[in-house]
């Protein structure tokens, strides 16, 4: 009589066992388990939000000279993704460090601590281009999305935008393309200008004067071919600003005026162009207009909130504008986005400079947190020095200068004379290293500190560094 009940109960139990088995498989052997293992094995903490690295696209063309074009396409896709709020995009320098390397997505994801890896290749021939792109889940090693595009060269802008849109859709992120989310030169008939722009962009931020002059020449060609291109004028502006900041200018006053002139033209063409806004910020900074520079840099960051370089830039300008403590959060974000340590080192110098400047500001305002800022600065100095051998960073002199100044500042806050002497000795040892590396540094240091809005603070920093260098020379018995 009750046999059907027993059979139903047994069937239900069987279903529950099956469900339990599926859940257990998913937890221990399926995607959930794989994600847990991935996070445990990742070399760095995996962000809570969707995270992605855009790898340098491989050059599938027969012409090796097309490498710049492949990198430029990947970089502009990355730029579009940095505009998506809630999406973690690995910084450009860290991503591009994989150039020319065939590294499995699983390894990249674990090394950088990011879940998704976008890879691809570009083949350019005559007036055609073929772009292959695919996104891999580094935890499960499954391809989430893939596509291939065979188009006219002039259609490359639509291809870039579609790839960014498809990727964000696959990650369930919100992608809303706007005029400013397009590549720097987005009109199809101006592909020639875009091609030249990609060549120039890779040269502009190096310290070599020859590269700057060549980049300036190429950017001018962009404006001749595409007079309405904001990015062409912005590029010219950047070359003038970089020349002044790196001491490569024969006439800093003229370069500063030209930087401002071309930045203004760029923003007349497109007021929301992030490249133009950052050019304006650089031009205003070297002109001593720190407040306006900060406003322009912050506006650039609203266009590309996930951009590591822009976050670091905004942090720097906060320090120059006398708001150093507010700049630290931007530097920490830049450090988080740059997942390769030798590129994080560049941002560690920024943290050293900004934390020291914040300490100086706090000390002048008699705030209790001055010492903690100085200790943060010195900690960043020690980490930077540990990484500098492999990084080849050009700011090593400034790092030594601020490291010495931070040690001397900490000594002022120590209670016992023995502790004061210990920190002063560290300051002298660091300064001695700087003296050996660059005896002419004190004359060069002023070019950096004069960018500070607080001239009294700048003078104090210059004097403190100069004092440390002088005492180190006396200790070494040098004139």
């Amino acid at each position: 009589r009750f046999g059907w009940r027993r059979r139903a109960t047994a069937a239900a139990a069987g279903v529950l066992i099956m469900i339990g088995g599926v859940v257990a498989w998913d937890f221990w052997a399926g995607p959930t388990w794989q994600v847990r293992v991935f996070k445990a094995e990742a070399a760095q903490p995996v962000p809570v939000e969707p995270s992605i690295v855009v790898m340098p696209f491989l050059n599938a063309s027969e012409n090796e000279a097309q490498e710049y074009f492949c990198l430029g396409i990947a970089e502009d896709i990355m730029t579009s993704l940095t505009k998506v709020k809630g999406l973690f995009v690995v910084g450009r320098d860290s991503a591009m460090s994989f150039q020319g390397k065939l590294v499995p997505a699983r390894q990249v994801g674990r090394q950088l601590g990011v879940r998704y890896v976008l890879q691809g290749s570009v083949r350019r021939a005559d007036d055609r281009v073929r772009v292959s792109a695919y996104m891999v889940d580094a935890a499960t090693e499954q391809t989430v999305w893939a596509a291939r595009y065979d188009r006219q060269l002039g259609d490359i802008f639509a291809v870039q935008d579609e790839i960014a849109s498809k990727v964000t859709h696959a990650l369930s992120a919100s992608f809303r393309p706007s005029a400013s989310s397009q590549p720097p030169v987005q009109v199809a008939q101006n592909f020639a200008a875009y091609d030249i722009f990609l060549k120039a962009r890779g040269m502009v931020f190096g310290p070599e004067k020859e590269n700057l002059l060549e980049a300036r020449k190429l950017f001018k060609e962009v404006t001749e071919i595409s007079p309405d291109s904001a990015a062409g004028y912005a590029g010219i502006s950047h070359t003038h600003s970089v020349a002044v900041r790196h001491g490569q200018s024969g006439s800093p006053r003229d370069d500063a005026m030209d930087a401002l002139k071309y930045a203004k033209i760029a923003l007349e063409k497109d007021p929301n162009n992030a490249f133009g806004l950052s050019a304006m910020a650089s031009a205003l900074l070297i002109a001593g207009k720190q407040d306006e520079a900060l406003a322009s840099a912050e506006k650039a960051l609203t266009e590309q909130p996930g951009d590591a370089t822009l976050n670091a830039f905004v942090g720097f300008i906060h320090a120059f504008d006398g708001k150093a403590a507010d700049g630290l959060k931007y530097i920490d974000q830049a450090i988080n986005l740059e997942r390769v340590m030798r590129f994080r080192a560049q941002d560690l110098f920024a943290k050293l400079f900004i934390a020291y400047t914040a300490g100086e500001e706090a000390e002048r305002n008699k705030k209790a947190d001055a010492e903690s800022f100085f200790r943060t600065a010195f900690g960043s100095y020690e980490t930077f020095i540990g990484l500098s051998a492999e990084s080849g960073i050009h700011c090593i002199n400034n790092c030594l200068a601020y490291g010495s100044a931070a040690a001397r500042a900490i000594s002022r806050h120590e209670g016992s004379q023995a502790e004061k002497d210990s920190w002063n000795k560290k300051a002298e040892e660091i300064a001695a290293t700087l003296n050996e590396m660059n005896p002419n540094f004190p004359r060069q240091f002023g070019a950096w500190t004069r960018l500070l809005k607080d001239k009294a603070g700048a003078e104090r920093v210059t004097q403190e560094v100069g004092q440390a260098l002088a005492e180190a020379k006396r200790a070494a018995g040098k004139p």
Side-chain angles (χ1 to χ4, degrees):
R1 180 180 176 181
F2 298 105
W4 67 271
R5 290 185 179 177
R6 287 195 296 270
R7 288 193 295 273
T9 301
V15 170
L16 289 174
I17 291 170
M18 289 176 62
I19 293 173
V22 170
V23 171
W25 181 90
D26 183 61
F27 184 83
W28 293 110
T32 301
W33 174 81
Q34 290 173 304
V35 171
R36 287 167 62 90
V37 171
F38 166 73
K39 290 182 177 179
E41 293 179 349
Q44 302 180 57
V46 178
V48 175
E49 64 268 41
S51 54
I52 189 169
V53 56
V54 181
M55 299 286 280
F57 279 22
L58 297 175
N59 180 14
S61 306
E62 295 179 1
N63 185 357
E64 292 183 4
Q66 294 300 317
E67 191 75 19
Y68 76 91
F69 182 69
C70 305
L71 296 178
I73 289 175
E75 187 172 343
D76 281 334
I77 292 170
M78 184 189 310
T79 296
S80 290
L81 293 176
T82 64
K83 300 171 185 292
V84 181
K85 292 184 178 180
L87 182 61
F88 182 101
V89 183
V90 170
R92 177 199 176 279
D93 289 337
S94 294
M96 293 300 156
S97 67
F98 289 90
Q99 180 181 347
K101 301 175 183 176
L102 289 171
V103 186
R106 170 189 171 89
Q107 181 179 333
V108 174
R110 280 159 173 74
Q111 181 178 334
L112 302 181
V114 289
R115 180 78 182 272
Y116 299 97
V117 180
L118 180 65
Q119 298 172 300
S121 64
V122 179
R123 181 180 179 83
R124 177 177 172 181
D126 298 325
D127 63 344
R128 303 286 300 180
V129 62
R130 172 181 292 174
V131 180
S132 297
Y134 55 98
M135 183 171 65
V136 177
D137 183 335
T140 65
E141 300 185 71
Q142 297 297 310
T143 299
V144 178
W145 170 84
R148 189 177 77 174
Y149 304 87
D150 286 290
R151 302 284 180 84
Q152 294 286 331
L153 278 172
D155 293 334
I156 190 63
F157 314 118
V159 170
Q160 290 170 322
D161 199 49
E162 183 174 339
I163 291 174
S165 180
K166 295 291 187 182
V167 165
T168 50
H169 179 75
L171 297 175
S172 299
S174 176
F175 181 67
R176 300 182 180 88
S178 63
S180 61
S181 76
Q182 301 294 329
V185 185
Q186 64 259 32
V187 183
Q189 58 263 36
N190 284 335
F191 174 80
Y194 178 61
D195 194 30
I196 296 170
F197 175 84
L198 293 183
K199 291 179 183 177
R201 185 171 63 185
M203 300 178 180
V204 71
F205 294 113
E208 296 81 9
K209 186 174 183 179
E210 294 76 13
N211 280 1
L212 283 176
L213 293 176
E214 180 62 20
R216 188 177 302 162
K217 175 185 172 184
L218 292 173
F219 282 130
K220 285 182 177 178
E221 289 183 31
V222 171
T223 63
E224 290 166 3
I225 298 172
S226 179
D228 292 328
S229 164
Y233 294 102
I236 297 172
S237 175
H238 273 299
T239 64
H240 287 288
S241 293
V242 172
V244 174
R245 293 206 311 269
H246 283 279
Q248 300 287 4
S249 173
S251 178
R253 181 182 177 85
D254 289 341
D255 272 316
M257 291 176 63
D258 283 339
L260 195 58
K261 178 180 77 173
Y262 286 106
K264 285 180 178 177
I265 296 173
L267 294 182
E268 286 171 2
K269 305 294 182 183
D270 182 357
N272 297 315
N273 184 280
F275 195 51
L277 288 165
S278 64
M280 178 60 79
S282 292
L284 290 168
L285 180 62
I286 62 174
K289 299 179 180 180
Q290 292 87 350
D291 289 351
E292 295 175 57
L294 180 58
S296 187
E298 287 179 330
K299 187 175 180 182
L301 188 61
T302 62
E303 293 295 319
Q304 294 172 204
D307 189 289
T309 302
L310 277 178
N311 272 280
F313 187 45
V314 170
F316 257 123
I317 299 185
H318 268 88
F320 287 122
D321 194 39
K323 304 179 181 72
D326 294 335
L328 282 171
K329 65 182 181 181
Y330 296 100
I331 297 301
D332 285 335
Q333 173 68 348
I335 290 172
N336 187 36
L337 290 168
E338 287 293 2
R339 296 256 154 163
V340 173
M341 288 308 294
R342 68 177 182 272
F343 297 115
R344 277 186 169 180
Q346 301 176 60
D347 295 325
L348 280 167
F349 165 67
K351 189 164 186 175
L352 161 63
F353 163 66
I354 291 172
Y356 176 80
T357 306
E360 285 286 307
E361 292 170 4
E363 196 165 83
R364 287 195 298 277
N365 294 322
K366 303 187 185 313
K367 291 186 177 179
D369 53 358
E371 182 184 359
S372 67
F373 284 130
F374 289 133
R375 290 188 180 277
T376 296
F378 194 78
S380 298
Y381 158 77
E382 290 187 307
T383 306
F384 177 92
I385 292 300
L387 294 168
S388 63
E390 64 180 276
S391 65
I393 295 172
H394 297 283
C395 63
I396 184 67
N397 289 333
N398 275 339
C399 291
L400 290 166
Y402 278 100
S404 176
R408 186 170 293 277
I410 292 171
S411 74
R412 296 196 293 266
H413 293 266
E414 293 290 11
S416 71
Q417 189 59 46
E419 291 170 324
K420 292 179 184 295
D421 291 343
S422 175
W423 280 102
N424 279 322
K425 184 179 179 180
K426 287 182 182 179
E428 288 183 14
E429 288 173 348
I430 297 169
T433 301
L434 179 54
N435 279 330
E436 290 294 327
M437 289 179 58
N438 188 354
N440 296 318
F441 180 74
R443 288 196 294 271
Q444 301 168 1
F445 191 58
W448 176 264
T449 56
R450 70 165 172 256
L451 295 176
L452 289 164
K453 180 180 179 181
D454 181 358
K455 299 307 176 187
E459 181 64 23
R460 177 172 170 175
V461 171
T462 304
Q463 289 179 352
E464 193 153 288
V465 171
Q467 180 184 354
L469 292 170
E471 289 182 4
K473 283 185 177 179
R474 285 196 295 272
K478 295 182 179 181

